[in-house]
């Protein structure tokens, strides 16, 4: 009986994966979209070797299973510069604070409850105050479903991330493509860092070891000329994109789950019309176990690496012999490059 069930599951996966690279989902992001079998749950084992994995996240976009959350008062908020993220709002203990794309600021509403709130503890509004660099008028509160009051900044409900264990960490940035560290005005810190570094529409100078290539205005995916690796794919913030050998394109499955996502951030799905230098048929998306959509290149899920702290870096290439930059043709860059 078990053997029959296994064969049926494999067949279902193959049928769903067969659409990758061919079907066009114009109603969403004008990108090829594939959902793995099993109602979006992860397939295959996770990989845990320091850059590895644990349990899959919940459908609310959280990365569950990381331990108990911090629910203490925020105290005096301050602004701290965190490499690769930018100027981030922190609580009085120096812990990074976050916002959730599935929440709303006008009117303020939190959509993170249950397991989500275990991994992303809501920050209470009581005793919160603003230090220099933060407009106190932007602070507010919203009533949660349990009756408690949660701090808001610029209307956005404020959270901590349970996997941040010390001041100055921002492991929650980019989790699921829907969690982001907060800037002092309530916007996303990474977006403000990008604008401060130069508008991608006018071109920006790449980091050491890369060639200066101009990205057209509004481009969310482009090709950069790396001195060591050749022409590789980068996102709209000039971050190198990587694929993982423990993932699979045929059939589609994820090998990077749980703790792996602290280091390797799934690249968010894009509108293929905003891709430059790569064939549109290679650009697609896949639904992750947490419900978010991840960018795929030639059916492979792609990620950014937290170890890349400046635009154009490719420090994640050949990590553990499993992570590789991606060529303009959608192939992985050889490990000997």
């Amino acid at each position: 009986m078990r053997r029959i069930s296994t064969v049926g599951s494999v067949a279902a996966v193959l049928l769903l994966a067969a659409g990758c690279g061919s079907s066009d989902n114009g109603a969403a992001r004008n990108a090829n979209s594939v959902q793995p079998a099993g109602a979006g749950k992860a397939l295959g084992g996770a990989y845990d070797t320091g850059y590895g994995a644990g349990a899959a996240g919940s459908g609310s976009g959280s990365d569950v299973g990381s331990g108990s959350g911090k629910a203490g008062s925020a105290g005096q908020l301050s602004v701290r510069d965190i490499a690769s993220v930018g100027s981030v709002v922190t609580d009085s203990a120096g812990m990074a604070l976050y916002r959730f794309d599935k929440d709303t600021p006008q009117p303020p509403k939190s959509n993170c409850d249950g397991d989500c709130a275990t991994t992303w503890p809501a920050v209470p509004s009581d005793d919160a105050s603003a230090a220099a660099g933060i407009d106190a008028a932007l602070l507010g509160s919203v009533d949660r479903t349990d009756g408690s009051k949660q701090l808001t900044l610029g209307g956005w409900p404020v959270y901590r991330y349970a996997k941040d264990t010390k001041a100055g960490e921002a492991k929650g940035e980019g989790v699921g493509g829907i969690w982001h560290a907060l800037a002092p005005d309530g916007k996303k810190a990474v977006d403000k860092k990008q604008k401060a570094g130069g508008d991608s529409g006018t071109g920006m100078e790449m980091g050491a070891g890369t060639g200066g290539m101009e990205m057209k205005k509004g481009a969310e995916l482009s090709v950069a000329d790396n001195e060591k690796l050749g022409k590789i794919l980068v996102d709209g913030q000039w971050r190198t994109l990587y694929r993982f050998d423990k993932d699979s394109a045929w059939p589609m499955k994820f090998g990077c789950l749980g703790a792996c996502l602290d280091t390797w951030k799934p690249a968010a799905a894009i509108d293929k019309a905003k891709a430059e230098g790569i064939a549109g048929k290679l650009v697609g998306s896949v639904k992750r176990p947490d419900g978010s959509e991840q960018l795929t290149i030639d059916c492979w899920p792609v990620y950014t690496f937290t170890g890349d702290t400046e635009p154009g870096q490719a420090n994640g290439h050949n990590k553990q012999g499993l992570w590789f930059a991606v060529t303009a043709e959608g192939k992985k860059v050889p490990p000997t490059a």
Side-chain angles (χ1 to χ4, degrees), residues 28-309:
R29 290 182 177 81
N30 193 28
N32 302 319
S33 181
V34 174
Q35 181 172 352
K41 296 182 180 180
L43 303 176
Y47 191 73
D48 191 359
T49 58
Y51 294 100
S58 75
S60 58
S62 62
D63 191 9
V64 179
S66 57
S68 61
K70 308 172 186 66
S73 297
Q76 187 177 58
L77 306 182
S78 59
V79 182
R80 181 171 186 151
D81 188 63
I82 299 179
S84 78
V85 181
S87 296
V88 175
V89 177
T90 62
D91 64 13
S92 58
M95 305 302 292
L97 300 180
Y98 299 88
R99 50 175 271 182
F100 183 32
D101 282 355
K102 293 187 177 181
D103 288 347
T104 58
Q106 299 296 335
K109 185 179 188 304
S110 170
N111 290 304
C112 179
D113 292 299
D115 288 341
C116 175
T118 300
T119 301
W120 302 92
V123 177
S125 61
D126 62 300
D127 196 35
S129 61
I134 302 174
D135 185 353
L138 294 177
L139 300 184
S141 66
V142 62
D143 293 331
R144 293 182 57 79
T145 55
D146 62 3
S148 63
K149 290 187 177 295
Q150 181 176 1
L151 176 67
T152 61
L153 178 60
W156 288 95
V158 179
Y159 305 83
R160 297 184 180 93
Y161 183 43
K163 288 189 176 182
D164 286 342
T165 58
K166 59 185 179 182
E169 290 185 334
K171 294 179 179 178
E173 168 55 40
V175 168
I178 49 180
W179 288 93
H180 298 282
L182 274 163
D185 59 359
K187 298 185 183 301
K188 301 173 186 178
V190 288
D191 287 351
K192 297 184 75 67
K193 179 180 175 67
Q194 179 188 5
K195 290 180 180 179
D199 189 335
S200 63
T202 59
M204 63 181 291
E205 187 175 337
M206 300 288 283
T210 62
M213 293 188 67
E214 186 174 334
M215 181 183 289
K216 293 184 179 180
K217 187 174 183 178
E220 298 177 351
L221 176 66
S222 190
V223 179
D225 193 2
N226 185 283
E227 289 181 359
K228 294 182 179 180
L229 306 180
K231 295 185 183 300
I232 60 175
L233 295 179
V234 295
D235 69 4
Q237 299 178 45
W238 288 104
R239 295 177 299 190
T240 298
L241 296 173
Y242 302 89
R243 53 184 266 187
F244 184 34
D245 274 1
K246 290 291 181 178
D247 284 346
S248 174
W250 304 97
M252 184 74 72
K253 67 178 181 180
F254 299 104
C256 184
L257 301 164
C260 176
L261 299 176
D262 294 338
T263 304
W264 304 92
K265 305 297 185 181
I270 69 165
D271 180 346
K272 68 170 64 178
K274 295 183 178 180
E276 298 290 339
I278 180 173
K281 65 181 181 180
L282 297 177
V283 181
S285 68
V286 63
K287 184 172 288 188
R288 291 192 60 83
D290 64 7
S292 63
E293 288 191 40
Q294 182 175 359
L295 175 65
T296 62
I297 302 296
D298 197 22
C299 296
W300 284 87
V302 291
Y303 306 76
T304 56
F305 178 47
T306 57
D308 290 338
T309 58

